[in-house]
Amino acid sequence: MSEQRFVQVEVVRYLPENKTPEKDEPFSQFFEVPYTESTSILDALQYIKEELDSSLSFRWSCRMAICGSCGFMVNGTPKLGCKDFLRNYPNGVRIAPLAHFTVERDLMVNMEEFLVHLEAVQPFLVEEQQAKAQGVQKYTETYQQTPAQLAKYKQFSNCINCGLCYAACPQFGLNPEFIGPGALALAHRYNLDSRDHGKAQRMKVLNGHNGVWSCTFVGFCSDVCPKKVDPAAAVNQGKVESAKSMLIQMFKGNS
Amino acid sequence: MAYKAPMKRSWWLQHAAFRRYMLREATVLPLVFALCCLLAGLWSLQTSAQFHAWQQFMAQPWVVAFNLLALVGALYHALTFFQLFPRVMPIRLGEKQVPAALMVVAQWLGVVAVLLAMLWLATSGVLGAWQ
Ligand code: SF4
Ligand code: FES
């Protein structure tokens, strides 16, 4: 058995019902939490909810870094609560809701702000949709893809929509209309897919005011991504594609 | 019914990753200075008196210091740029990707090649013969 120690956990909370005309702000609450080598940030929050204060709200589901619902700011850096451990913070830790999002309650943010951008880039195989619309049965056929075709986009397909990259992106913080790293990475993932036919539609979004050119390659999104998607690389490869498509448009004379 | 934290003007001071990013972007300031020095040098070629004045200006310790800072800044910016380049323009050969480290080394070799070429131009007397 590993020995049990205690660490101070600061949780930034927000309770909308406590709102007064003068004050509508988050506040900090401090807890002493026991931990071992294997206590995750999420375990700590669950300990607090079960043993110390049952009014604490936060999201989680899989506890194995695949559902993407337990994103928090841990000492100022976006992390998955189930993939980060108290042992990394022997001098205390501060858990806050994901930055740049609207806080609904305690550690729960409004993920809708990310999902609308995700929807805007049509993160799915577009031909399938078209085929359905035209009543063609093509989508029931098996798609074939060579390993080389798969390798092109595989890295960018590992996204779990956790939103950590949005909490790491100052451009999204400054301009919430910016499509943002995660959605742009998925747009790139489908643009690179040999089975897809939706690139022309996606490029309209990527070329636009809130598309790839709003990115200044801060690069922090790629540092915090728990799935090593490297969204910054995807966005900047998107800039190359965007430049190409805009040049082509120019020569066609319908810019 | 919801709280949105304002984005402070000092956001870039809040995290080491942002401070590094701002340092990278700030390298442009001493570079602009070095560029102005060069342009002034070109312009001063009109008369020998002007060229002389420019040489004296350039020899001042603070000008030398700023130009050194520009050199360090340029090297730091190159370092970050060369590391980002393989991620923006990956070279793919079939299923395999050319390793990023190889592309970084190739870019530095390019820098060395250009430096050597300049050195050769300056020392070989080719420019003098051309006059
Ligand atoms: S790109 Fe990475 S950090 Fe961003 S939403 Fe997807 S998995 Fe999360
Ligand atoms: S609980 Fe699913 S990613 Fe953490």
Side-chain angles (χ1 to χ4, degrees):
Chain A
M1 270 306 280
S2 45
E3 156 202 16
Q4 203 172 61
R5 286 158 293 178
F6 283 82
V7 70
Q8 189 180 63
V9 176
E10 175 185 352
V11 182
V12 177
R13 303 194 56 183
Y14 172 73
L15 299 170
E17 64 271 24
N18 285 1
K19 180 179 175 175
T20 63
E22 301 84 47
K23 212 166 171 295
D24 180 31
E25 271 182 356
F27 60 95
S28 280
Q29 203 175 342
F30 296 85
F31 305 95
E32 290 294 321
V33 178
Y35 73 103
T36 63
E37 277 297 291
S38 60
T39 308
S40 68
I41 297 289
L42 182 62
D43 290 336
L45 291 172
Q46 281 170 333
Y47 175 86
I48 293 170
K49 190 167 176 73
E50 275 160 27
E51 308 289 335
L52 305 174
D53 188 338
S54 60
S55 69
L56 181 66
S57 303
F58 52 93
R59 290 198 189 101
W60 63 280
S61 176
C62 70
R63 352 174 288 295
M64 47 190 280
I66 200 65
C67 75
S69 49
C70 67
F72 311 113
M73 300 304 277
V74 181
N75 280 0
T77 300
K79 298 265 187 188
L80 288 182
C82 62
K83 203 173 180 269
D84 194 16
F85 295 86
L86 277 190
R87 62 166 188 262
N88 297 332
Y89 310 95
N91 300 321
V93 65
R94 183 176 196 264
I95 307 174
L98 281 184
H100 308 149
F101 288 100
T102 307
V103 183
E104 290 178 329
R105 166 183 292 274
D106 291 344
L107 298 169
M108 306 197 313
V109 296
N110 182 4
M111 284 304 268
E112 204 48 43
E113 293 163 9
F114 158 48
L115 296 176
V116 287
H117 294 325
L118 193 60
E119 229 178 289
V121 300
Q122 299 183 273
F124 39 77
L125 293 179
V126 165
E127 194 202 27
E128 188 174 330
Q129 298 299 107
Q130 283 172 343
K132 267 186 198 160
Q134 292 158 5
V136 182
Q137 290 303 306
K138 196 173 177 194
Y139 60 90
T140 56
E141 288 169 18
T142 314
Y143 280 115
Q144 295 195 340
Q145 203 163 45
T146 65
Q149 286 171 327
L150 172 70
K152 267 191 177 173
Y153 68 82
K154 190 157 187 284
Q155 171 194 9
F156 303 125
S157 67
N158 289 331
C159 175
I160 58 171
N161 300 346
C162 63
L164 295 197
C165 49
Y166 284 75
C169 177
Q171 297 301 349
F172 175 67
L174 293 166
N175 169 23
E177 299 297 310
F178 174 37
I179 299 291
L184 288 173
L186 273 173
H188 194 56
R189 172 246 176 279
Y190 283 96
N191 283 346
L192 289 176
D193 195 318
S194 59
R195 303 164 295 181
D196 176 76
H197 291 83
K199 187 170 175 184
Q201 294 163 49
R202 280 184 215 107
M203 285 322 284
K204 283 184 201 141
V205 183
L206 263 65
N207 295 345
H209 183 61
N210 297 310
V212 287
W213 300 101
S214 283
C215 165
T216 54
F217 217 145
V218 179
F220 192 33
C221 54
S222 293
D223 296 345
V224 305
C225 175
K227 292 289 161 190
K228 303 222 167 16
V229 171
D230 200 351
V235 176
N236 286 278
Q237 289 175 24
K239 284 182 193 167
V240 178
E241 289 306 309
S242 174
K244 276 193 221 159
S245 95
M246 288 200 286
L247 265 179
I248 292 170
Q249 296 242 316
M250 230 172 69
F251 283 120
K252 279 187 182 164
N254 52 357
S255 56
Chain B
M1 281 303 277
Y3 175 78
K4 176 100 199 235
M7 190 90 171
K8 283 190 226 131
R9 289 179 81 111
S10 58
W11 63 266
W12 56 279
L13 289 170
Q14 314 285 320
H15 201 286
F18 295 153
R19 288 193 291 272
R20 272 197 299 278
Y21 158 71
M22 278 310 220
L23 185 69
R24 181 189 86 195
E25 300 297 293
T27 54
V28 72
L29 299 172
L31 273 175
V32 165
F33 177 77
L35 205 70
C36 288
C37 286
L38 248 148
L39 285 177
L42 272 180
W43 185 77
S44 76
L45 288 175
Q46 288 167 317
T47 67
S48 65
Q50 273 176 356
F51 185 63
H52 215 74
W54 180 73
Q55 275 183 320
Q56 267 171 353
F57 171 78
M58 290 304 285
Q60 282 168 283
W62 72 270
V63 180
V64 174
F66 260 79
N67 276 295
L68 275 178
L69 192 69
L71 179 67
V72 174
L75 284 174
Y76 178 68
H77 199 108
L79 182 90
T80 59
F81 186 90
F82 289 172
Q83 271 168 355
L84 297 181
F85 185 75
R87 285 162 63 194
V88 179
M89 295 227 171
I91 301 175
R92 206 167 258 301
L93 301 170
E95 278 169 57
K96 292 218 183 64
Q97 207 162 307
V98 176
L102 196 75
M103 288 175 72
V104 174
V105 169
Q107 291 175 97
W108 281 115
L109 285 180
V111 171
V112 172
V114 170
L115 274 180
L116 286 179
M118 303 275 266
L119 215 76
W120 174 77
L121 264 183
T123 56
S124 66
V126 175
L127 287 179
W130 183 55
Q131 272 174 354

